[in-house]
């Protein structure tokens, strides 16, 4: 989780304290910590935070870094070229994302009260002609956003900020709200294999000091429940016929393919966030026949663990050849060449879940 503005930064500092002080005392927190790698970055833009001299509810000159760049418009974009100078903070995050297998994340902002999910940018193939832009995992993203918003009493009302849009149940698709280029949540999902949503946590960007405890009380349950969602779906390792873990192997759900295929890490591990249901996993190595395997995600997930499914791939070749034959996705507008009739744009797949910082999890 990461946050830049006052409320997000304060919440994440409180979250760190809450997790540390309750470890070994609260069974739920203890189990969560024992089963989850939790990375918390209270501030991605420290220069911007320190630059605020005259707090204002609706505008802050701390949005930009010391070089006058908005870091949440500074990442590579999958829909159009983002020809801006990549900033040191952005490069540091991009390099950090390569060092860990992050699965779930959230970034915390202020100025509205809503949980926003990808995509933030779009093309006709992702549904922009319908004033939205949907990922292949739209059902999961709607669930994640609703999981957070439904536990925040003010956010779920959807109409608590004056002179702002109303958000049914406190959630929105990012593109439906307003399109933006170079955002972090799209980058994380496409190139880092990490599901990220944006949490707008306060109508006022810079609230008075005495108001800050209220925001912790309002968001504590949502933050903890959101972290738990990293254990949705299925995880496991892919092995060759000798029992060696296979890195860089594509593991995707059939009919739910990502524009940049999700692959196993250096330990042969894969993680797929999925809602309960029946799925077919397609395990692919270039030059070999795909290996298909079915999984059923139960309605009640195991305590702090996704369904574990190891896969034996009948591969008889050198591991080094996989890395060469399966290069990483280029950081270019990958969606710009897709046809406009993608299944993601069909209204029948647009699900509404009624009952239903930066944190990075694995």
């Amino acid at each position: 989780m990461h946050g830049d503005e006052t409320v997000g930064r304060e919440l994440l500092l409180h979250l760190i304290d809450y997790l540390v002080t309750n470890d070994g005392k609260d069974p739920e927190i203890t189990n969560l910590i024992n089963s989850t790698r939790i990375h918390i970055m209270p501030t991605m833009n420290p220069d911007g935070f320190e630059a605020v001299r005259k707090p204002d509810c609706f505008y802050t000159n701390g949005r930009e870094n010391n070089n006058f760049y908005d870091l949440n418009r500074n990442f590579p974009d999958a829909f159009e070229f983002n020809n801006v100078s990549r900033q040191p903070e952005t490069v540091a995050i991009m390099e950090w994302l390569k060092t860990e297998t992050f699965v779930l994340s959230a970034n915390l902002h202020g100025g509205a009260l809503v949980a926003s999910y990808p995509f933030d940018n779009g093309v006709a193939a992702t549904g922009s002609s319908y004033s939205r832009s949907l990922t292949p995992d739209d059902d999961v993203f709607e669930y994640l956003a609703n999981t957070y918003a439904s536990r925040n009493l003010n956010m779920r009302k959807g109409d608590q900020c004056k002179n702002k849009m109303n958000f049914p149940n406190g959630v929105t698709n990012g593109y439906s709200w307003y399109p933006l280029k170079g955002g972090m949540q799209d980058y994380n999902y496409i190139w880092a294999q990490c599901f990220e949503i944006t949490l707008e946590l306060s109508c006022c960007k810079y609230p008075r000091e005495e108001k800050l405890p209220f925001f912790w009380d309002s968001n504590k349950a949502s933050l903890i429940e959101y972290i738990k969602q990293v254990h949705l779906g299925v995880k496991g390792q892919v092995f060759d016929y000798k029992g060696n873990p296979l890195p860089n192997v594509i593991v995707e759900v059939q009919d739910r393919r990502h524009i940049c295929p999700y692959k196993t890490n250096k330990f042969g591990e894969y993680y797929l966030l999925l809602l309960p249901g029946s799925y077919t996993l397609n395990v692919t190595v270039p030059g070999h026949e795909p290996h298909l395997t079915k999984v059923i995600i139960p309605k009640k997930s195991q305590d702090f663990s996704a369904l574990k499914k190891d896969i034996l791939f009948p591969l008889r070749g050198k591991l080094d050849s996989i890395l060469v034959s399966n290069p990483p996705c280029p950081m270019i507008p990958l969606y710009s060449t897709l046809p406009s009739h993608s299944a993601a744009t069909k209204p029948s797949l647009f699900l509404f879940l009624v009952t239903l910082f930066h944190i990075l999890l694995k």
Side-chain angles (χ1 to χ4, degrees):
M1 287 186 166
H2 68 86
D4 290 320
E5 288 147 350
T6 309
V7 174
R9 175 168 163 157
E10 186 77 6
L11 285 181
L12 293 183
L13 293 173
H14 273 77
L15 177 62
I16 293 169
D17 180 71
Y18 183 78
L19 292 174
V20 171
T21 56
N22 283 281
D23 186 22
K25 300 176 183 178
D26 184 312
E28 179 185 54
I29 298 302
T30 303
N31 288 335
L32 184 62
I33 290 175
N34 289 342
S35 62
T36 315
R37 288 189 179 186
I38 305 172
H39 300 248
I40 301 177
M41 179 172 59
T43 299
M44 180 178 164
N45 182 15
D47 290 337
F49 185 85
E50 295 297 331
V52 177
R53 292 289 179 263
K54 187 178 180 181
D56 188 283
C57 260
F58 306 106
Y59 172 78
T60 171
N61 58 356
R63 183 182 186 94
E64 299 170 340
N65 72 349
N66 200 47
N67 295 329
F68 306 105
Y69 281 88
D70 185 336
L71 298 179
N72 200 38
R73 306 291 188 276
N74 197 240
F75 286 85
D77 193 272
F79 303 93
E80 55 185 311
F81 284 104
N82 192 23
N83 297 319
V84 295
S85 174
R86 209 73 67 212
Q87 294 300 291
E89 299 93 333
T90 309
V91 173
I93 294 296
M94 292 169 65
E95 291 301 314
W96 183 35
L97 291 169
K98 297 176 184 177
T99 67
E100 296 280 350
T101 306
F102 294 118
V103 179
L104 179 68
S105 61
N107 64 82
L108 282 62
H109 294 267
L113 201 55
V114 66
S116 173
Y117 58 89
F119 286 121
D120 275 332
N121 206 350
V123 291
T126 60
S128 61
S129 55
Y130 295 97
S131 298
R132 62 179 188 249
S133 185
L134 308 184
T135 72
D137 298 291
D138 186 65
D139 57 339
V140 179
F141 273 117
E142 287 202 41
Y143 172 81
L144 292 171
N146 276 285
T147 293
Y148 195 96
S150 64
R151 288 164 177 79
N152 183 311
L153 297 181
N154 287 314
M155 183 181 290
R156 74 184 184 191
K157 293 176 183 177
D159 60 355
Q160 296 301 288
C161 296
K162 295 179 181 178
N163 303 319
K164 297 285 185 179
M165 284 180 60
N166 290 344
F167 302 104
N169 302 311
V171 304
T172 186
N173 172 252
Y175 186 92
S176 295
W177 186 9
Y178 63 91
L180 70 88
K181 177 173 65 175
M184 185 171 177
Q185 72 174 8
D186 286 5
Y187 176 84
N188 275 12
Y189 174 69
I190 292 169
W191 280 291
Q193 303 185 186
C194 181
F195 285 46
E196 173 158 317
I197 67 173
T198 297
L199 302 172
E200 300 279 352
L201 299 172
S202 60
C203 302
C204 180
K205 281 183 172 290
Y206 212 109
R208 297 192 303 273
E209 181 180 353
E210 61 268 23
K211 294 277 189 179
L212 294 177
F214 161 79
F215 290 106
W216 169 244
D217 292 338
S218 298
N219 287 278
K220 179 176 71 173
S222 295
L223 288 168
I224 298 300
E225 193 62 29
Y226 186 79
I227 296 173
K228 292 180 185 177
Q229 305 315 307
V230 74
H231 299 294
L232 282 175
V234 61
K235 66 180 181 180
Q237 286 179 280
V238 180
F239 299 98
D240 68 8
Y241 73 105
K242 290 184 178 180
N244 299 309
L246 292 176
N248 214 36
V249 172
I250 297 172
V251 182
E252 302 249 77
V253 174
Q254 204 169 35
D255 302 323
R256 191 182 286 238
R257 296 183 178 181
H258 302 97
I259 191 75
C260 186
Y262 278 26
K263 302 176 183 178
T264 56
N265 64 16
K266 62 184 179 181
F267 304 111
E269 298 169 339
Y270 73 93
Y271 301 84
L272 296 173
L273 294 184
L274 298 166
L275 299 184
S278 179
Y279 303 90
T280 298
L281 301 186
N282 190 328
V283 185
T284 308
V285 174
H288 297 264
E289 289 294 319
H291 177 77
L292 303 179
T293 183
K294 290 189 176 181
V295 296
I296 297 177
I297 311 297
K299 289 186 177 180
K300 183 174 176 57
S301 63
Q302 305 172 50
D303 289 339
F304 300 103
S305 177
L307 175 71
K308 196 169 190 302
K309 177 71 174 179
D310 290 337
I311 300 168
L312 179 63
F313 193 92
L315 177 67
R316 296 178 179 271
K318 293 183 178 181
L319 296 181
D320 292 345
S321 65
I322 301 177
L323 297 173
V324 174
S325 61
N326 211 356
C329 283
M331 293 186 185
I332 60 173
L334 300 170
Y335 273 99
S336 62
T337 59
L338 281 188
S340 61
H341 58 271
S342 169
T345 69
K346 295 180 180 178
S348 61
L349 296 182
F350 195 49
L351 306 179
F352 293 90
L353 305 180
V354 178
T355 57
L356 270 180
F357 14 93
H358 204 204
I359 192 164
L360 295 155
L361 311 166
K362 67 176 288 189

